[in-house]
Amino acid sequence: MGLRANNENDTAAADERGTAGRRWRTLQLGCAAVLLATALTGGAVAVGAGRAPAAAPAASRAVDPGLLGTGNLDASIASLQAHLRTQPKDAGSWATLALAYVEQARTKGDPSRYPQADQALRRSLALAPDSDQALAGRAALAAARHDFAGALTYADRALRQNPYSERALCSRIDALVELGRYDEAARAADTADARRPGVPVFTRYAYVHELRGDVPSARRVLQQALSFATSPGDIAYVATQLGQLAWNQGEYGTALAEYARALAADETYLPALEGRARAQAASGDRAAAITGMESVVSRYPLPAPLVELGELYEARGAAGDLARARQQYALVDTWVALARANGVDADLDTALAAADHGDKAAALRAARAEWARRHTVHTADALAWALHVNGRDTEALSYARQATATGYRNAVFLYHRGVIELATGDRAAGRAVLASALKLNPGFSPVGAAAARTALEAAK
């Protein structure tokens, strides 16, 4: 009876994944048609139609740069699959294949790869139950699905088998960061640095510093990581992190230089292309930003670049731009449906996008659900803003203050807090925080930065 019920549940889940996948492909084709009408090249449209993000949030910090420097990931997967057809008891290759699927899901923004990764890891662990490689793969998959408690459990299990597993050490830092356990994450970074210093550990170490507001240390560690980087993938990865750090501080020229360095190493590296478009927009070159972000979204249609492109259209305000913007926001909803159908917790993505561009009640439900799972600066900010757009500013204020309490320098968080401070009647605090947001990063958002300036002017 239990086995039959499980089979029925599996069939239902497969049907749900198939339905979401069909919706995703249909909407991608619709988006491609709109982009074609705005003079996006035919080649880019073809890629967008056939290839469905990240990190990162996000996720991007959890990316393993080693896989990025190995060449053609699709070809590597095909080679592994061929090998495993002849050597099906090779536990290590099953684990490697699983990690390649996780990376493929990230680079193509296609969560349907996650069930394939899960199946490969099950095969690996059935053959070698104590394999630190497979357990670390479990941690990576759990993190990719935003199950950070699970990622921490698997990372700890892997480290009991192999205390020097670089992948497990890094996944442990990632999980603690994403659970909001920043002091423990700092200690985990110290341990990882002592055991396996190198690019993957250095980039995480830098992020822990950044979350605490220590930008000079974060930059120093990233520069050290860059000096260790030798492969094109590693160079592109670290230079992009340096670009993002500079962009967060409003240092657009430095950010563009770092993105240029990343793209000199790998001209197709999508996080660098995305970051460059954001920096171009913040610098006032909206035309280049839109062209660049259209290219990114055609290959990498994750929520963050989709929302960014939609807001760029809104800010431009040309004929048809509002419809174009709405198309991007609709794609976010479809990506969320596909992600959930493939085991990804997409509540934070929902809360962030829906608060400004969708169902505000749904944004609040999602933000509350995410906050119940983990208390990070990002979830605090998302919950604060979702409460604000639903008219609950008194409740929102404590979360907005928590989001800025660690010293993390993020203009979006400051903008949200400033608006909420004003809404609760504290005009002095609201003006001060809004001014700080615009001083830190005056081009932090195509729509939000203009709204911040308007709110600041109105509060005088």
Side-chain angles (χ1 to χ4, degrees):
M1 183 69 176
L3 179 59
R4 179 180 176 184
N6 285 339
N7 287 339
E8 289 173 350
N9 289 339
D10 288 345
T11 300
D15 289 345
E16 183 182 1
R17 288 194 295 270
T19 299
R22 286 190 294 274
R23 288 175 60 201
W24 174 248
R25 287 188 291 274
T26 298
L27 207 52
Q28 275 189 298
L29 289 171
C31 182
V34 172
L35 292 175
L36 179 61
T38 60
L40 187 65
T41 67
V45 171
V47 171
R51 297 176 62 184
S60 58
R61 301 283 182 179
V63 172
D64 180 273
L67 281 171
L68 299 179
T70 58
N72 188 318
L73 186 60
D74 291 346
S76 297
I77 287 174
S79 178
L80 280 165
Q81 290 170 332
H83 168 74
L84 286 165
R85 280 193 289 271
T86 61
Q87 300 292 332
K89 293 186 178 181
D90 184 346
S93 289
W94 281 114
T96 301
L97 178 62
L99 287 164
Y101 282 142
V102 171
E103 182 66 7
Q104 192 177 51
R106 185 196 68 81
T107 56
K108 294 190 176 184
D110 184 0
S112 67
R113 300 296 195 276
Y114 293 140
Q116 294 174 280
D118 183 74
Q119 185 178 19
L121 286 168
R122 289 178 187 273
R123 294 288 297 270
S124 181
L125 287 167
L127 292 164
D130 296 324
S131 165
D132 67 274
Q133 185 182 3
L135 290 168
R138 273 282 180 214
L141 176 59
R145 284 173 152 171
H146 299 177
D147 174 15
F148 299 110
L152 181 60
T153 296
Y154 282 116
D156 284 340
R157 284 181 60 187
L159 290 169
R160 284 196 290 273
Q161 299 300 320
N162 177 9
Y164 293 88
S165 166
E166 181 180 71
R167 192 178 304 281
L169 288 165
C170 290
S171 290
R172 190 168 197 277
I173 301 169
D174 294 336
L176 289 167
V177 164
E178 296 297 343
L179 290 168
R181 294 160 60 174
Y182 298 132
D183 290 342
E184 291 176 77
R187 291 193 291 273
D190 287 337
T191 298
D193 187 43
R195 293 180 184 174
R196 290 295 300 270
V199 169
V201 171
F202 290 160
T203 53
R204 287 158 173 84
Y205 205 70
Y207 190 43
V208 171
H209 282 301
E210 186 184 358
L211 284 168
R212 292 174 153 185
D214 188 355
V215 172
S217 292
R219 182 174 282 120
R220 174 180 53 77
V221 173
L222 285 173
Q223 288 170 342
Q224 184 178 2
L226 192 60
S227 71
F228 274 71
T230 55
S231 72
D234 281 357
I235 294 168
Y237 176 71
V238 179
T240 297
Q241 300 307 309
L242 279 163
Q244 177 65 26
L245 184 65
W247 184 85
N248 280 343
Q249 316 314 310
E251 301 167 1
Y252 306 137
T254 300
L256 287 167
E258 294 295 351
Y259 293 132
R261 188 201 312 244
L263 293 167
D266 179 357
E267 64 182 4
T268 67
Y269 189 50
L270 286 165
L273 292 167
E274 180 185 348
R276 183 177 68 180
R278 291 178 188 275
Q280 287 169 332
S283 301
D285 192 353
R286 184 184 295 150
I290 288 175
T291 299
M293 199 62 75
E294 285 175 341
S295 177
V296 169
V297 163
S298 72
R299 292 175 286 165
Y300 191 67
L302 286 179
L306 286 166
V307 169
E308 179 77 7
L309 180 56
E311 292 193 348
L312 282 168
Y313 287 143
E314 284 195 52
R316 184 173 65 181
D321 273 347
L322 184 57
R324 294 184 185 96
R326 288 172 177 164
Q327 183 71 45
Q328 307 312 308
Y329 306 144
L331 273 170
V332 173
D333 292 339
T334 303
W335 182 91
V336 165
L338 180 61
R340 286 178 172 156
N342 286 281
V344 180
D345 164 25
D347 281 331
L348 186 58
D349 299 290
T350 298
L352 292 171
D356 286 323
H357 306 294
D359 183 335
K360 293 177 173 53
L364 182 53
R365 287 193 299 271
R368 286 197 187 281
E370 195 68 17
W371 181 255
R373 284 187 288 269
R374 55 195 183 109
H375 294 183
T376 71
V377 292
H378 295 87
T379 52
D381 170 70
L383 180 53
W385 196 241
L387 286 163
H388 163 72
V389 299
N390 281 277
R392 306 179 68 162
D393 291 296
T394 300
E395 187 181 354
L397 185 56
S398 66
Y399 295 106
R401 289 175 176 172
Q402 286 184 63
T404 57
T406 68
Y408 179 45
R409 292 167 59 82
N410 187 300
V412 173
F413 292 7
L414 292 169
Y415 159 56
H416 288 167
R417 177 179 166 182
V419 169
I420 293 166
E421 295 274 12
L422 287 176
T424 58
D426 193 337
R427 292 172 65 83
R431 287 196 303 269
V433 179
L434 284 172
S436 295
L438 291 167
K439 181 179 180 181
L440 173 63
N441 187 351
F444 65 85
S445 160
V447 172
R453 286 189 287 272
T454 299
L456 182 60
E457 184 65 28
K460 287 183 180 178

